[in-house]
Amino acid sequence: MFQLSLVDHIRLSFGSVATSYRAHARAAERLSGRARRSRAVLVILLGVSTGASLMALSGPRSFQIAAAALSVSSLVGLAIVHAFDFEARAFAHRACAAQLWLLCEKYRALLADVHDGHCDLAATTARRDHLMREVQNVYEHALPADREAYQIAREALGAGAGAPSDQDIDRLLPASLRQTAGVSPS
């Protein structure tokens, strides 16, 4: 029969939150990079467009056509950047990752308190339930993970999908809280 102890449940919840933290942090990093690159491209495109417009004032018809084409390209680029809204999405993932990091630390603290015998069963259960509600609140307000964020999470879990294994969880915990032997932190 399936047996899941309270500590096993806390460890699995911790592993899930830690994996989500990693996915949201990497998504924020990726989107921030895209925002920087798109801003740089827009500045260059607008600079070239402005130069072409100035040259078109006294230049031949081909400069006027080039200036118009570059202006339209700048407008399309700006519309695309605003449609994807990289900066706002990066901020939302960053905020979610920060909340998840705090929850990871709370789970580690709970596991340490249980390990050191500072919590009885009722207190441990109450803290676990409170943490589960906090996690639910974060997920309710979090930006949904996109395909790339799911890929990051899957890579964080290793080849298999689903719940993190004991070895995956042990890599995220200090040596004193690990359950499996010979696991080195990554």
Side-chain angles (χ1 to χ4, degrees):
M1 177 161 211
F2 182 72
Q3 295 285 328
L4 182 68
S5 72
L6 179 60
V7 171
D8 288 338
H9 184 250
I10 294 169
R11 284 174 50 86
L12 284 171
S13 296
F14 164 74
S16 175
V17 170
T19 300
S20 293
Y21 158 74
R22 186 177 290 170
H24 282 282
R26 287 187 182 169
E29 183 180 322
R30 175 180 43 84
L31 289 167
S32 292
R34 287 182 183 170
R36 277 190 305 278
R37 287 188 298 276
S38 64
R39 277 193 312 270
V41 167
L42 277 177
V43 167
I44 291 168
L45 195 53
L46 286 168
V48 172
S49 177
T50 301
S53 296
L54 291 173
M55 290 174 42
L57 290 174
S58 61
R61 177 102 170 122
S62 61
F63 285 164
Q64 294 171 354
I65 294 170
L70 286 168
S71 293
V72 169
S73 298
S74 298
L75 179 62
V76 168
L78 185 63
I80 289 171
V81 168
H82 280 283
F84 283 116
D85 205 10
F86 295 125
E87 290 180 21
R89 289 172 44 209
F91 179 79
H93 280 295
R94 194 175 295 118
C96 183
Q99 291 176 320
L100 291 171
W101 175 82
L102 180 60
L103 287 168
C104 285
E105 293 305 311
K106 287 181 178 183
Y107 271 110
R108 280 188 187 106
L110 176 57
L111 286 168
D113 286 346
V114 169
H115 179 267
D116 294 343
H118 295 274
C119 287
D120 62 2
L121 181 61
T124 302
T125 303
R127 283 177 63 185
R128 181 214 46 204
D129 293 346
H130 180 73
L131 283 172
M132 286 173 33
R133 285 189 298 277
E134 285 187 57
V135 170
Q136 177 189 8
N137 188 45
V138 170
Y139 287 152
E140 283 177 355
H141 297 97
L143 187 67
D146 55 15
R147 185 173 44 99
E148 291 178 64
Y150 280 119
Q151 182 62 29
I152 291 167
R154 190 160 53 245
E155 289 170 8
L157 290 173
S165 68
D166 281 335
Q167 293 81 13
D168 295 330
I169 295 168
D170 282 344
R171 283 189 201 96
L172 303 169
L173 292 170
S176 63
L177 297 177
R178 294 183 187 147
Q179 285 189 342
T180 56
V183 175
S184 62
S186 47

